[in-house]
Amino acid sequence: DIVMTQSPDSLAVSLGERATINCKSSQSVLYSSNNKNYLAWYQQKPGQPPRLLIYWASTRESGVPDRFSGSGSGTDFTLTISSLQAEDVAVYYCQQYYSTPFTFGPGTKVDIK
Amino acid sequence: EVQLVESGGGLVQPGGSLRLSCAASGFTLSSYWMSWVRQAPGKGLEWVANIKQDGSEKYYVDSVKGRFTISRDNANNSLYLQMNSLRAEDTAVYYCTRTWTQLWPPDYWGQGTLVTVSS
């Protein structure tokens, strides 16, 4: 199974400042045949199901604000919130969908400083 | 509007069984892979199983193989998860999710149904 790790476990950022979350996979999730990284990011607020933010490592889902961006390739990925808003307080998860079981990272909690 | 509504959760004793259902609306169920993802109280997300559009392919996480069975009824717009030999560690909120293909992340999630395994 592919093991996903995230860092940090939590972070507190001032409103309007940048938040950066890292995700690492135990093996590459890049398919050479199509040059796509099978990596997604989700946001989960308390009492709600997760919401898909980013897929193919860097493609924003419809309706997701452009302050959210994803980058990286192979085994190392980053989710960046360019200017943190109050409504961005949540737990963020990365997930690989390269091979079953489609494993998730342990999550990173983002709060306001 | 796409909607996924889970039901069937509840309290069950260790070794017992439950059948979860997911009612899908707002899209053509037969066009999508579907999956179940669970989340233990206060914990992270765990992918459980998925099923191809016609039910011909099914995949499971090792911890539920042989105990859980995913199935679907496209005519009735429903997804199911039959859970047998339940253990305390199966206690979680179970989410029904939709994916375009097998190798695609879930784009819609239901609100979840809580399964509690306890004596």
Side-chain angles (χ1 to χ4, degrees):
Chain A
D1 298 359
I2 298 176
V3 177
M4 307 299 291
T5 56
Q6 289 182 231
S7 62
D9 294 336
S10 64
L11 74 161
V13 175
S14 300
L15 288 172
E17 295 301 305
R18 179 185 300 261
T20 301
I21 301 169
N22 300 301
C23 172
K24 189 174 183 68
S25 57
S26 61
Q27 65 187 73
S28 176
V29 297
L30 173 64
Y31 258 120
S32 55
S33 59
N34 59 10
N35 202 36
K36 286 185 179 293
N37 288 283
Y38 286 59
L39 189 285
W41 289 97
Y42 299 87
Q43 174 193 66
Q44 187 177 31
K45 297 180 180 180
Q48 295 184 19
R51 173 196 182 191
L52 178 64
L53 296 177
I54 302 282
Y55 57 99
W56 302 134
S58 60
T59 301
R60 206 176 297 114
E61 174 73 334
S62 175
V64 173
D66 60 8
R67 63 179 179 273
F68 290 92
S69 64
S71 63
S73 184
T75 61
D76 292 280
F77 302 91
T78 300
L79 175 70
T80 301
I81 309 172
S82 60
S83 176
L84 191 75
Q85 305 300 303
E87 60 265 32
D88 300 334
V89 170
V91 178
Y92 293 83
Y93 296 93
C94 61
Q95 182 206 21
Q96 63 81 18
Y97 50 101
Y98 180 92
S99 65
T100 56
F102 298 143
T103 44
F104 291 85
T108 295
K109 186 175 182 181
V110 174
D111 272 321
I112 305 295
K113 184 186 292 183
Chain B
E1 178 192 6
V2 172
Q3 282 199 315
L4 298 169
V5 180
E6 303 93 338
S7 61
L11 175 64
V12 61
Q13 292 188 338
S17 298
L18 272 181
R19 188 195 197 203
L20 304 184
S21 299
C22 172
S25 61
F27 67 102
T28 303
L29 183 66
S30 59
S31 297
Y32 293 85
W33 280 73
M34 298 293 291
S35 62
W36 290 95
V37 176
R38 68 184 179 182
Q39 186 169 35
K43 303 297 184 182
L45 301 165
E46 181 180 37
W47 177 89
V48 174
N50 66 357
I51 184 169
K52 193 176 180 179
Q53 289 92 332
D54 61 1
S56 62
E57 293 181 36
K58 305 174 185 181
Y59 300 90
Y60 300 89
V61 67
D62 282 351
S63 59
V64 309
K65 280 180 185 174
R67 300 188 300 123
F68 289 12
T69 302
I70 190 172
S71 63
R72 62 194 297 161
D73 181 347
N74 291 334
N76 287 303
N77 296 307
S78 294
L79 176 73
Y80 304 102
L81 186 67
Q82 177 66 44
M83 304 186 296
N84 299 331
S85 303
L86 283 161
R87 307 166 180 167
E89 54 265 35
D90 296 318
T91 294
V93 173
Y94 285 73
Y95 294 104
C96 166
T97 75
R98 183 189 88 162
T99 63
W100 281 100
T101 68
Q102 184 193 17
L103 300 182
W104 200 277
D107 60 352
Y108 280 92
W109 298 59
Q111 289 298 311
T113 187
L114 176 62
V115 172
T116 303
V117 185
S118 174
S119 54

